[in-house]
Amino acid sequence: MKKSRTILLAFTFLNLLSAHAQQTARFIENPAYKPALGGLIGTTGIGLAFYHPLGVQFGLEVGAGLMPYNMQVVGTYGDYPTRSVARARLHNAHLLFGWVPFHGAENGFRHLTINLGMGYLFKAKGTITTQLRDPQSYGDIELQPEEIGTMYTTINWKESVTPYAGLGFSDMRIDEHFGFNIALGGYFLSQPSVTVKGTAMLEDNEINQPIIERNIQNYRYLPNLQLGIAYSFYAY
């Protein structure tokens, strides 16, 4: 009887230790950051990122992205319909520090992160190539859009380090190795410069350069809505 009581007490003690360990592990483990490598896609392009925990409540994200963007635009120049091709190239590397404020929660908010950091824009440039859409008649002479000329507008943000701030939900588990990430934030860019160049009959349009530059001088916020899937090097 004494021996059975001792065994029962021992099992009870082990169960209490196990429950305590599981409860403690939930608060020791960083729920939003694991050593992981993943792919990103969003409004700032596609890229790769490496994630690493810094203790229980903090984490690190290091990555790089490319944004090759082309778009056809139909508009007007005065009373004349135009056709434009817009091209944007925004390539960056980023370093973000994340804070996990609700790391001990028992719901999805344990994955919430507040992110601050910086991005290095090694290319941030947009070009718009514009022609009249239709031929134009001058008396008996009809000129094609190519003969009238082409206007080239280049918008350039200088190569620089830019601050970043945002929120996200990180490492929402898909299985023991893969996690889903979502982030919303933005970069604060330098003031852009504008270059306008015209050909043929549109050569004099360079005079519009200061006007365009003045109109877009406050376009310095680059929003970032980003989705990603990361592979954790260790099973969880």
Side-chain angles (χ1 to χ4, degrees):
M1 177 68 72
K2 191 173 183 180
K3 185 176 180 180
S4 298
R5 187 181 300 169
T6 302
I7 293 173
L8 181 60
L9 287 172
F11 271 114
T12 303
F13 181 69
L14 288 173
N15 284 332
L16 288 172
L17 279 180
S18 176
H20 177 72
Q22 291 176 8
Q23 186 75 8
T24 304
R26 192 173 75 246
F27 292 96
I28 291 176
E29 180 185 285
N30 189 320
Y33 289 92
K34 307 289 189 300
L37 180 67
L40 305 171
I41 185 168
T43 55
T44 55
I46 58 175
L48 291 173
F50 172 73
Y51 306 88
H52 199 276
L54 300 174
V56 180
Q57 278 191 280
F58 298 94
L60 178 70
E61 178 185 335
V62 182
L66 305 174
M67 187 180 76
Y69 176 79
N70 298 311
M71 181 179 179
Q72 298 279 342
V73 181
V74 175
T76 58
Y77 180 73
D79 295 326
Y80 301 100
T82 61
R83 181 172 52 242
S84 301
V85 177
R87 297 181 177 87
R89 299 293 182 268
L90 195 150
H91 307 328
N92 74 91
H94 64 266
L95 172 64
L96 305 180
F97 293 94
W99 175 42
V100 189
F102 306 117
H103 70 287
E106 297 183 6
N107 52 41
F109 280 100
R110 65 198 303 257
H111 298 280
L112 176 68
T113 62
I114 297 174
N115 304 308
L116 294 174
M118 63 190 72
Y120 178 71
L121 301 179
F122 48 90
K123 188 166 189 178
K125 184 178 181 180
T127 59
I128 304 173
T129 304
T130 304
Q131 288 184 340
L132 295 183
R133 190 187 66 187
D134 305 315
Q136 300 296 313
S137 296
Y138 298 89
D140 296 331
I141 301 173
E142 182 178 86
L143 296 177
Q144 297 300 314
E146 296 81 7
E147 297 174 297
I148 296 171
T150 303
M151 190 160 65
Y152 301 93
T153 304
T154 302
I155 305 170
N156 191 50
W157 288 266
K158 66 180 181 180
E159 185 177 312
S160 63
V161 175
T162 63
Y164 176 92
L167 300 172
F169 283 87
S170 186
D171 196 42
M172 294 179 286
R173 305 307 300 170
I174 299 173
D175 63 18
E176 62 181 8
H177 277 290
F178 287 93
F180 177 71
N181 306 312
I182 182 170
L184 177 63
Y187 295 94
F188 188 70
L189 306 178
S190 61
Q191 186 169 315
S193 61
V194 176
T195 302
V196 176
K197 182 180 179 181
T199 64
M201 298 174 66
L202 301 179
E203 279 187 329
D204 293 337
N205 279 280
E206 284 87 344
I207 61 173
N208 293 318
Q209 180 174 311
I211 299 171
I212 298 173
E213 195 166 66
R214 186 166 58 250
N215 288 340
I216 68 167
Q217 64 181 348
N218 294 322
Y219 284 77
R220 301 178 62 182
Y221 180 75
L222 177 66
N224 179 43
L225 174 60
Q226 189 170 270
L227 306 175
I229 294 178
Y231 175 81
S232 298
F233 299 121
Y234 309 104
Y236 291 91

